[in-house]
Amino acid sequence: MTNTLKYGMPFFSYKGKMFCYLWIHKKLKEPYMGIVEGKHFDEVFLIQENRSRTKIMLFDVNEDLPLKQIEIIIRKAIDLYKTGIVKI
């Protein structure tokens, strides 16, 4: 996995494919992690909004990061690429 700045935000890629990114929600003013292939996930804590592929995971600035949930989502997302569901 590598990271770069893309569209002015920290973006992480897996084998050259956009994977996830960190940003601030414009309306809610809260940080979030965007999962590019989020459409493949049905976890209740991921939000689709008006995005076609991406789902986001909002973070409460007053609480610790939900590391277990983050780890689960990252592992599932990597598996999408490893299994060929998302072409590399």
Side-chain angles (χ1 to χ4, degrees):
M1 197 171 327
T2 60
N3 70 340
T4 58
L5 282 178
K6 190 164 188 154
Y7 310 114
M9 64 182 84
F11 223 104
F12 299 89
S13 59
Y14 180 76
K15 295 192 177 184
K17 296 287 280 186
M18 295 188 305
F19 179 75
C20 69
Y21 60 94
L22 301 171
W23 204 237
I24 305 288
H25 196 283
K26 289 178 184 173
K27 292 180 184 174
L28 301 175
K29 305 292 188 225
E30 292 183 358
Y32 69 86
M33 178 176 67
I35 301 295
V36 174
E37 296 297 337
K39 66 182 180 184
H40 296 282
F41 296 91
D42 58 0
E43 279 74 10
V44 296
F45 56 86
L46 292 176
I47 303 166
Q48 182 84 42
E49 292 184 324
N50 293 328
R51 298 167 177 88
S52 60
R53 284 173 60 186
T54 304
K55 286 189 180 180
I56 65 170
M57 178 185 214
L58 287 169
F59 300 122
D60 185 337
V61 296
N62 298 311
E63 294 185 19
D64 291 339
L65 288 172
L67 296 179
K68 293 281 188 198
Q69 288 179 334
I70 293 170
E71 183 179 351
I72 288 168
I73 292 303
I74 289 175
R75 286 183 191 270
K76 281 186 171 184
I78 289 173
D79 285 345
L80 291 174
Y81 296 90
K82 285 184 174 180
T83 60
I85 294 172
V86 175
K87 303 291 183 225
I88 297 178

